[in-house]
Amino acid sequence: MKIEILFPEYCNLFGDMSNMGYLKQCLPHGEFIETALDSEPRFLTEPMDLVYLGPMTERGQERVIEKLMPYKERIRALIQEGRVFLFTGNAVEVLGTSIEKEDGGKIHCLGLYPLTAKRDMMHRHNSTFLGKFQGQPVMGFKSQFTMAWCADESLALFQVEKGVGLNKKCKFEGIRQKNFFGTYLLGPLLIDNPPFTRYLLQCMGVQKPALAFEAAAQSAYDARLKDFKEKT
């Protein structure tokens, strides 16, 4: 099992690198490869069971877009092949169409999805989220300077139950195509949501997923779900 963590020196905000720390506990024999921004991503030439990209600053985001732009068609092909990708926080915007800055200028992204984002650097949005994935509850937190729009609802990852989707009027959150999963949810997502983590491991080829500290993780999930339903 090979997992590539892209640009961890830049894409590591909100403690979301704990997603990979937890996967290391779930996959103790897995090979975890950390690829720096000045290195060639190995998933472009080697089969990976998962490619992970975490949240980053806005300046870091622009550097990541510049880095990955020459490989956009290769990334598109790998997603079509069913390779597994998990992008959290504002990483999902990297594969969108554009990001509008406050002065009206636009940052052109890789254009793999019809997702547009708009920055408002004077107003950070913070909220809790409760939704559904494959019939199971999914929870997380949001902390971002952007709102996003995607006209293609077939790309929805999570259905909103409480909280904010891609934007305040959108009824879904995140982007999914085959085994590409992109979400603004923080938490970290994999620790907070055992059902989703089991599904992700199955997509990666794990036949009978066994989570690290499974009983404790499930108990915390159940307690968190009760709290979210009461307070969100």
Side-chain angles (χ1 to χ4, degrees):
M1 194 67 61
K2 293 174 70 173
I3 296 93
E4 184 168 20
I5 304 167
L6 294 178
F7 322 136
E9 74 276 30
Y10 286 98
C11 307
N12 57 17
L13 300 185
F14 306 110
D16 255 34
M17 282 298 292
S18 295
N19 282 311
M20 295 298 100
Y22 186 57
L23 270 193
K24 288 179 182 179
Q25 297 289 326
C26 296
L27 301 169
H29 302 296
E31 180 184 357
F32 286 78
I33 300 159
E34 296 190 2
T35 300
L37 189 64
D38 60 359
S39 299
E40 191 83 357
R42 286 174 56 176
F43 76 89
L44 297 168
T45 55
E46 300 177 36
M48 293 291 164
D49 297 292
L50 174 70
V51 177
Y52 176 73
L53 184 65
M56 63 206 83
T57 66
E58 284 66 34
R59 177 60 187 138
Q61 188 181 46
E62 293 177 32
R63 294 189 67 182
V64 168
I65 291 168
E66 182 181 6
K67 174 71 175 184
L68 294 179
M69 185 66 77
Y71 313 119
K72 65 179 183 179
E73 293 306 325
R74 178 60 178 155
I75 296 170
R76 189 196 308 273
L78 289 171
I79 292 171
Q80 289 294 335
E81 289 175 12
R83 300 292 177 86
V84 186
F85 291 79
L86 175 63
F87 284 24
T88 61
N90 61 356
V92 67
E93 295 172 3
V94 170
L95 300 189
T97 303
S98 64
I99 301 167
E100 183 178 340
K101 298 190 290 187
E102 290 182 307
D103 62 3
K106 287 189 176 181
I107 300 164
H108 295 287
C109 306
L110 271 65
L112 274 62
Y113 299 111
L115 178 84
T116 59
K118 185 173 182 179
R119 288 180 183 169
D120 183 356
M121 298 301 294
M122 295 301 294
H123 300 92
R124 180 187 290 277
H125 171 82
N126 296 293
S127 65
T128 54
F129 176 89
L130 174 63
K132 279 287 181 70
F133 174 77
Q134 301 278 327
Q136 294 287 329
V138 63
M139 294 164 282
F141 302 90
K142 293 191 158 204
S143 186
Q144 59 201 71
F145 287 116
T146 53
M147 288 289 164
W149 288 262
C150 179
D152 188 351
E153 292 191 17
S154 71
L155 294 172
L157 175 57
F158 304 132
Q159 296 300 320
V160 177
E161 291 200 342
K162 293 183 178 182
V164 174
L166 288 178
N167 60 70
K168 293 180 179 180
K169 295 184 178 180
C170 186
K171 297 186 182 300
F172 67 91
E173 203 288 323
I175 294 290
R176 180 187 182 181
Q177 183 187 26
K178 296 192 175 182
N179 290 326
F180 173 84
F181 304 91
T183 175
Y184 284 95
L185 296 190
L186 310 169
L189 180 71
L190 299 187
I191 296 175
D192 285 351
N193 295 280
F196 179 79
T197 305
R198 291 188 193 98
Y199 184 86
L200 183 72
L201 287 167
Q202 288 176 330
C203 292
M204 292 167 60
V206 180
Q207 297 299 316
K208 295 181 179 179
L211 302 185
F213 316 109
E214 189 153 11
Q218 188 64 44
S219 177
Y221 171 81
D222 294 339
R224 192 178 304 109
L225 178 59
K226 182 176 183 293
D227 187 60
F228 270 45
K229 286 184 174 179
E230 290 175 351
K231 297 180 180 179
T232 302

